[in-house]
Amino acid sequence: MAAVRSAAISAAAVVAPRGFGRRRRLVPCFAAPARGASGVTASASGKMLPRSALHASASTTGAPDSDEAAAESLVEAELSKLACPICYYPLVSSIDHQSAPSKSDSTLECSTCKKLFSKDDYWDLTVAVGSTEYSETMPAATELFRTQLVSFLYERGWRQNFIWGGFPGLEKEFEMAKDYLKPKSGGIIIDASCGSGLFSRLFVKSELYCLVVALDFSENMLKQCKEFIKQENISDERLVLVRADISRLPFVSGSIDALHAGAAIHCWPSPACAVAEISRVLRPGGVFVGSTFIADVLPPVIPLLRIGRPYIDQITGNNTFLSELELEDLCSACGLVNFTFVRNGFYIMFSATKAS
Ligand SMILES: C[S@@+](CC[C@H](N)C(=O)[O-])C[C@H]1O[C@@H](n2cnc3c(N)ncnc32)[C@H](O)[C@@H]1O
């Protein structure tokens, strides 16, 4: 297994048929901002100072008020990016509209339509939350991951099997994603379709972001994520769990620095609507990093896929895997530029940037 893994990793470093030398960009320049996008302090190493450090530094200068204010503005910044999935206007605390929302509040309200959203293990920011009669079934690839069984098995063997499709393995994938995301250190990152939060937890532990949003449509995946966070004793100071549909992201437009979506696009009901949403929520210059299984490993498959896909999709209710060209085309159609990628077998990790 180890041999397969290292072979896959070294192959990933060299296999980029169309883009090799032209678009492959694994090590972008790193310029850690002195200040995070939300006004949160970053250390010289680019790591975010924990809230306790903010307290410590403020108290040594004898300025408890500014310490309080820093902690307050951190909390405020964390929740101020959340928006109503219906109106896209910011959510406010439903307890006291005059004061900044507090992370401990368990109800948020849309500032325009007044819909309420509550938090248990996670914020449920799906459009139909609260409806009593209406229910709808998503395509199979979405529903599968909502089951308790698959959510439980996911990090206990299921995900590890992706290595046979060319996925380099969690550690290597995380390092590759981190390289693409380096210019966004200090900012807010969404780990979209996070599953049980395997990458979200690594993003938090890296201390490179002022806020990590672990987002998924599956209630059971989010519960697993919450359990792993407890088990691993990870601080949730800079972590928010959100239930949402990727095609209806509950964030203010242009408010997010980076979005990572590992092994997910092939599960989304409409990759086009999803990428359009990703583009909407990213700030100009914001980075989208995704990985998925790719369809064009054997070039003769492409014309066959073109003909057969509508029928396969109609029968299965899923989107079959896209080709590298289709991914690039989709990103570009949604206003994301500088498409770069690394491929290995059926695996692709790619990055694109919101046009400035
Ligand atoms: C194969 S898992 C990937 C999990 C993790 N990101 C990883 O790298 O292993 C795909 C995830 O996509 C999520 N998903 C499927 N449809 C979705 C949708 N419409 N909106 C948000 N997430 C969705 C599933 O719940 C599942 O957790």
Side-chain angles (χ1 to χ4, degrees):
M1 178 77 86
V4 172
R5 189 182 297 235
S6 67
I9 293 165
S10 51
V14 294
V15 182
R18 272 192 331 104
F20 182 71
R22 184 167 62 91
R23 291 178 302 172
R24 181 170 163 271
R25 190 194 58 181
L26 252 182
V27 190
C29 298
F30 177 39
R35 212 149 229 286
S38 315
V40 179
T41 313
S43 71
S45 67
K47 294 197 171 190
M48 305 311 303
L49 292 176
R51 206 176 294 173
S52 49
L54 287 175
H55 280 257
S57 61
S59 44
T60 49
T61 58
D65 287 351
S66 61
D67 168 28
E68 287 276 300
E72 271 291 296
S73 71
L74 182 59
V75 172
E76 196 180 339
E78 284 174 9
L79 293 179
S80 66
K81 306 296 182 281
L82 293 179
C84 172
I86 296 154
C87 329
Y88 288 148
Y89 280 101
L91 297 174
V92 293
S93 163
S94 71
I95 294 172
D96 177 1
H97 292 208
Q98 302 309 311
S99 67
S102 150
K103 205 179 175 192
S104 57
D105 292 349
S106 56
T107 310
L108 291 173
E109 186 179 79
C110 173
S111 49
T112 53
C113 76
K114 307 294 174 204
K115 181 164 173 139
L116 294 173
F117 299 90
S118 61
K119 181 174 96 169
D120 193 357
D121 285 332
Y122 48 82
W123 288 106
D124 194 333
L125 301 180
T126 49
V127 171
V129 66
S131 55
T132 50
E133 295 300 319
Y134 179 78
S135 72
E136 68 184 9
T137 308
M138 293 284 244
T142 299
E143 290 299 330
L144 176 72
F145 292 103
R146 290 180 74 189
T147 63
Q148 231 175 341
L149 181 66
V150 173
S151 301
F152 179 82
L153 292 178
Y154 191 71
E155 250 182 87
R156 298 174 174 92
W158 185 296
R159 178 51 156 90
Q160 288 80 342
N161 282 317
F162 291 7
I163 208 163
W164 301 112
F167 276 63
L170 184 60
E171 273 173 31
K172 179 67 186 169
E173 288 170 51
F174 179 62
E175 289 306 316
M176 291 162 67
K178 235 171 43 174
D179 277 338
Y180 279 130
L181 294 162
K182 254 182 191 170
K184 297 294 132 190
S185 292
I188 298 175
I189 186 167
I190 300 174
D191 185 23
S193 292
C194 64
S196 47
L198 53 177
F199 284 103
S200 317
R201 278 148 37 220
L202 290 175
F203 285 132
V204 174
K205 284 183 197 165
S206 76
E207 296 180 16
L208 285 171
Y209 305 95
C210 70
L211 179 67
V212 178
V213 180
L215 178 146
D216 205 281
F217 190 75
S218 162
E219 305 86 334
N220 281 312
M221 282 291 200
L222 289 167
K223 282 182 187 157
Q224 283 293 323
C225 181
K226 183 87 186 178
E227 258 184 58
F228 282 127
I229 288 162
K230 271 194 204 148
Q231 269 173 33
E232 293 171 19
N233 214 6
I234 294 172
S235 160
D236 66 355
E237 263 189 343
R238 298 188 192 280
L239 175 66
V240 181
L241 268 59
V242 169
R243 177 170 183 244
D245 183 355
I246 191 72
S247 297
R248 198 80 194 173
L249 290 174
F251 301 98
V252 175
S253 301
S255 64
I256 303 297
D257 299 285
L259 186 141
H260 169 261
I265 296 168
H266 52 277
C267 298
W268 293 344
S270 165
C273 288
V275 177
E277 268 297 83
I278 290 167
S279 181
R280 180 185 67 79
V281 302
L282 283 178
R283 292 176 201 277
V287 174
F288 170 34
V289 176
S291 66
T292 187
F293 292 98
I294 203 92
D296 53 1
V297 175
L298 302 168
V301 164
I302 304 286
L304 291 177
L305 259 184
R306 286 240 161 87
I307 300 164
R309 184 146 61 197
Y311 305 104
I312 302 169
D313 290 356
Q314 272 169 27
I315 294 163
T316 61
N318 281 339
N319 291 285
T320 41
F321 306 122
L322 301 172
S323 69
E324 173 203 312
L325 258 183
E326 285 175 307
L327 281 172
E328 180 173 10
D329 198 24
L330 177 56
C331 286
S332 142
C334 294
L336 301 172
V337 296
N338 299 333
F339 184 86
T340 62
F341 64 90
V342 176
R343 287 179 57 162
N344 178 45
F346 289 96
Y347 170 78
I348 186 168
M349 178 176 276
F350 65 90
S351 163
T353 304
K354 175 73 178 283
S356 306

